[in-house]
Short mmCIF file of all heavy atoms in Angstrom, two decimals:
data_model
loop_
_atom_site.label_atom_id
_atom_site.label_comp_id
_atom_site.label_asym_id
_atom_site.label_seq_id
_atom_site.Cartn_x
_atom_site.Cartn_y
_atom_site.Cartn_z
N PHE A 86 -17.20 33.85 44.97
CA PHE A 86 -17.09 32.58 45.51
C PHE A 86 -15.85 32.31 46.47
O PHE A 86 -14.74 32.71 46.12
CB PHE A 86 -16.92 31.62 44.26
CG PHE A 86 -16.72 30.04 44.74
CD1 PHE A 86 -17.73 29.37 45.28
CD2 PHE A 86 -15.53 29.43 44.37
CE1 PHE A 86 -17.52 28.06 45.73
CE2 PHE A 86 -15.29 28.13 44.76
CZ PHE A 86 -16.27 27.41 45.37
N MET A 87 -16.17 31.79 47.54
CA MET A 87 -15.08 31.42 48.49
C MET A 87 -14.97 29.86 48.62
O MET A 87 -15.94 29.28 49.10
CB MET A 87 -15.22 32.01 49.83
CG MET A 87 -14.06 31.91 50.76
SD MET A 87 -14.39 32.15 52.46
CE MET A 87 -14.99 30.56 52.91
N PRO A 88 -13.87 29.31 48.09
CA PRO A 88 -13.79 27.70 48.11
C PRO A 88 -13.53 27.32 49.60
O PRO A 88 -13.18 28.19 50.55
CB PRO A 88 -12.60 27.38 47.21
CG PRO A 88 -11.81 28.68 47.15
CD PRO A 88 -12.75 29.76 47.43
N GLU A 89 -13.66 26.05 49.90
CA GLU A 89 -13.50 25.53 51.24
C GLU A 89 -11.93 25.72 51.63
O GLU A 89 -11.66 26.15 52.73
CB GLU A 89 -13.90 24.01 51.22
CG GLU A 89 -13.84 23.38 52.69
CD GLU A 89 -14.27 21.89 52.71
OE1 GLU A 89 -14.65 21.50 51.63
OE2 GLU A 89 -14.24 21.43 53.79
N GLU A 90 -11.06 25.33 50.66
CA GLU A 90 -9.74 25.51 51.00
C GLU A 90 -9.24 26.64 50.18
O GLU A 90 -9.12 26.69 48.97
CB GLU A 90 -8.86 24.23 50.45
CG GLU A 90 -8.88 23.23 51.52
CD GLU A 90 -8.05 22.06 50.99
OE1 GLU A 90 -6.77 22.20 50.97
OE2 GLU A 90 -8.58 21.01 50.63
N CYS A 91 -8.78 27.75 50.95
CA CYS A 91 -8.32 28.98 50.20
C CYS A 91 -6.87 28.85 50.06
O CYS A 91 -6.16 28.84 51.03
CB CYS A 91 -8.75 30.16 51.01
SG CYS A 91 -10.59 30.32 51.13
N LYS A 92 -6.46 28.77 48.74
CA LYS A 92 -4.97 28.70 48.61
C LYS A 92 -4.55 29.86 47.64
O LYS A 92 -5.33 30.33 46.72
CB LYS A 92 -4.57 27.35 47.81
CG LYS A 92 -4.86 26.17 48.63
CD LYS A 92 -4.48 25.00 47.81
CE LYS A 92 -4.77 23.64 48.51
NZ LYS A 92 -4.84 22.56 47.58
N PHE A 93 -3.37 30.42 47.89
CA PHE A 93 -2.89 31.63 47.12
C PHE A 93 -1.52 31.33 46.59
O PHE A 93 -0.85 30.32 47.03
CB PHE A 93 -2.98 32.82 48.08
CG PHE A 93 -4.38 33.06 48.57
CD1 PHE A 93 -4.80 32.60 49.79
CD2 PHE A 93 -5.26 33.83 47.67
CE1 PHE A 93 -6.12 32.77 50.21
CE2 PHE A 93 -6.57 33.92 48.10
CZ PHE A 93 -6.99 33.49 49.34
N HIS A 94 -0.99 32.33 45.78
CA HIS A 94 0.32 31.95 45.22
C HIS A 94 1.43 32.32 46.25
O HIS A 94 1.31 33.24 46.98
CB HIS A 94 0.52 32.91 44.04
CG HIS A 94 -0.46 32.73 42.91
ND1 HIS A 94 -1.14 33.73 42.30
CD2 HIS A 94 -0.96 31.57 42.40
CE1 HIS A 94 -2.00 33.27 41.43
NE2 HIS A 94 -1.96 32.00 41.44
N ILE A 95 2.43 31.37 46.24
CA ILE A 95 3.63 31.53 47.07
C ILE A 95 4.38 32.79 46.63
O ILE A 95 4.53 32.98 45.42
CB ILE A 95 4.47 30.39 47.06
CG1 ILE A 95 3.70 29.12 47.62
CG2 ILE A 95 5.69 30.45 47.89
CD1 ILE A 95 4.28 27.83 47.30
N GLY A 96 4.81 33.61 47.56
CA GLY A 96 5.63 34.79 47.34
C GLY A 96 4.87 35.92 46.91
O GLY A 96 5.51 37.06 46.53
N ILE A 97 3.48 35.97 47.13
CA ILE A 97 2.64 37.02 46.83
C ILE A 97 1.93 37.52 47.95
O ILE A 97 1.42 36.65 48.75
CB ILE A 97 1.74 36.68 45.64
CG1 ILE A 97 2.41 36.27 44.29
CG2 ILE A 97 0.60 37.78 45.41
CD1 ILE A 97 3.03 37.41 43.64
N SER A 98 1.83 38.83 48.25
CA SER A 98 1.25 39.33 49.44
C SER A 98 -0.31 39.39 49.13
O SER A 98 -0.71 39.26 48.01
CB SER A 98 1.61 40.68 49.79
OG SER A 98 1.25 41.58 48.84
N GLY A 99 -1.07 39.49 50.22
CA GLY A 99 -2.45 39.47 50.11
C GLY A 99 -2.90 40.62 49.33
O GLY A 99 -3.85 40.53 48.52
N LEU A 100 -2.33 41.77 49.52
CA LEU A 100 -2.75 42.99 48.80
C LEU A 100 -2.54 42.87 47.30
O LEU A 100 -3.27 43.22 46.38
CB LEU A 100 -1.92 44.15 49.37
CG LEU A 100 -2.30 45.55 48.74
CD1 LEU A 100 -3.73 45.88 48.92
CD2 LEU A 100 -1.43 46.64 49.14
N THR A 101 -1.30 42.27 46.94
CA THR A 101 -1.03 42.16 45.54
C THR A 101 -1.87 41.12 44.85
O THR A 101 -2.42 41.46 43.73
CB THR A 101 0.48 41.50 45.35
OG1 THR A 101 1.32 42.29 46.13
CG2 THR A 101 1.00 41.57 43.99
N PHE A 102 -2.27 40.16 45.50
CA PHE A 102 -3.26 39.12 45.02
C PHE A 102 -4.56 39.78 44.75
O PHE A 102 -5.21 39.70 43.67
CB PHE A 102 -3.34 37.85 45.82
CG PHE A 102 -4.28 36.93 45.21
CD1 PHE A 102 -3.93 36.04 44.17
CD2 PHE A 102 -5.58 36.77 45.64
CE1 PHE A 102 -4.73 35.16 43.67
CE2 PHE A 102 -6.43 35.87 45.17
CZ PHE A 102 -6.01 35.03 44.10
N LEU A 103 -5.00 40.52 45.71
CA LEU A 103 -6.41 41.19 45.57
C LEU A 103 -6.38 42.25 44.50
O LEU A 103 -7.36 42.44 43.80
CB LEU A 103 -6.83 41.77 46.94
CG LEU A 103 -7.28 40.82 47.92
CD1 LEU A 103 -7.95 41.52 49.14
CD2 LEU A 103 -8.30 39.75 47.49
N CYS A 104 -5.31 43.05 44.38
CA CYS A 104 -5.14 43.97 43.29
C CYS A 104 -5.26 43.31 41.89
O CYS A 104 -5.93 43.77 41.01
CB CYS A 104 -3.84 44.77 43.46
SG CYS A 104 -3.79 45.95 44.79
N TYR A 105 -4.49 42.13 41.80
CA TYR A 105 -4.56 41.39 40.62
C TYR A 105 -5.87 40.90 40.24
O TYR A 105 -6.48 41.08 39.17
CB TYR A 105 -3.63 40.17 40.71
CG TYR A 105 -3.72 39.08 39.67
CD1 TYR A 105 -3.46 39.32 38.29
CD2 TYR A 105 -3.84 37.74 40.03
CE1 TYR A 105 -3.56 38.32 37.47
CE2 TYR A 105 -3.88 36.70 39.21
CZ TYR A 105 -3.74 37.01 37.82
OH TYR A 105 -3.86 36.00 36.87
N LEU A 106 -6.65 40.47 41.21
CA LEU A 106 -8.03 39.87 41.00
C LEU A 106 -8.91 41.05 40.63
O LEU A 106 -9.71 41.01 39.75
CB LEU A 106 -8.48 39.30 42.30
CG LEU A 106 -9.65 38.25 42.24
CD1 LEU A 106 -9.34 37.15 41.33
CD2 LEU A 106 -10.05 37.79 43.64
N GLY A 107 -8.80 42.22 41.43
CA GLY A 107 -9.47 43.32 41.16
C GLY A 107 -9.33 43.91 39.71
O GLY A 107 -10.30 44.26 39.11
N LYS A 108 -8.13 43.89 39.16
CA LYS A 108 -7.94 44.39 37.74
C LYS A 108 -8.59 43.35 36.89
O LYS A 108 -9.09 43.88 35.83
CB LYS A 108 -6.35 44.26 37.58
CG LYS A 108 -5.64 45.59 38.04
CD LYS A 108 -4.14 45.40 37.80
CE LYS A 108 -3.36 46.35 38.65
NZ LYS A 108 -1.94 46.16 38.58
N LEU A 109 -8.55 42.02 37.03
CA LEU A 109 -9.14 41.05 36.21
C LEU A 109 -10.71 41.38 36.13
O LEU A 109 -11.34 41.23 35.12
CB LEU A 109 -8.84 39.65 36.70
CG LEU A 109 -7.55 39.02 36.38
CD1 LEU A 109 -7.33 37.72 37.01
CD2 LEU A 109 -7.28 39.07 34.77
N ILE A 110 -11.19 41.60 37.30
CA ILE A 110 -12.61 41.75 37.41
C ILE A 110 -13.02 43.09 36.73
O ILE A 110 -14.18 43.30 36.18
CB ILE A 110 -13.12 41.74 38.93
CG1 ILE A 110 -12.91 40.38 39.52
CG2 ILE A 110 -14.62 42.22 39.06
CD1 ILE A 110 -13.03 40.34 40.98
N GLY A 111 -12.09 44.03 36.79
CA GLY A 111 -12.41 45.44 36.21
C GLY A 111 -12.83 46.48 37.20
O GLY A 111 -13.54 47.38 36.83
N ILE A 112 -12.34 46.29 38.32
CA ILE A 112 -12.54 47.35 39.46
C ILE A 112 -11.75 48.57 39.07
O ILE A 112 -10.58 48.50 38.85
CB ILE A 112 -12.24 46.78 40.83
CG1 ILE A 112 -13.30 45.66 41.20
CG2 ILE A 112 -12.37 47.86 41.85
CD1 ILE A 112 -12.86 44.92 42.46
N ARG A 113 -12.40 49.77 39.35
CA ARG A 113 -11.73 51.05 38.91
C ARG A 113 -10.44 51.31 39.77
O ARG A 113 -9.43 51.63 39.11
CB ARG A 113 -12.72 52.23 39.06
CG ARG A 113 -13.56 52.27 37.79
CD ARG A 113 -14.29 53.54 37.66
NE ARG A 113 -15.31 53.55 36.62
CZ ARG A 113 -15.02 53.68 35.39
NH1 ARG A 113 -13.83 54.04 35.08
NH2 ARG A 113 -15.98 53.68 34.45
N GLU A 114 -10.65 51.23 41.03
CA GLU A 114 -9.36 51.47 41.85
C GLU A 114 -9.22 50.21 42.74
O GLU A 114 -9.53 50.11 43.95
CB GLU A 114 -9.64 52.67 42.76
CG GLU A 114 -9.68 54.00 41.93
CD GLU A 114 -9.90 55.13 42.94
OE1 GLU A 114 -11.15 55.35 43.28
OE2 GLU A 114 -9.07 55.87 43.39
#
Side-chain angles (χ1 to χ4, degrees):
Chain A
F86 175 68
M87 189 197 83
E89 187 179 357
E90 274 183 75
C91 297
K92 291 177 186 170
F93 301 94
H94 300 136
I95 297 166
I97 296 292
S98 71
L100 182 64
T101 311
F102 181 78
L103 286 190
C104 286
Y105 167 55
L106 199 61
K108 281 179 196 166
L109 282 176
I110 295 167
I112 294 172
R113 280 195 186 276
E114 291 178 279

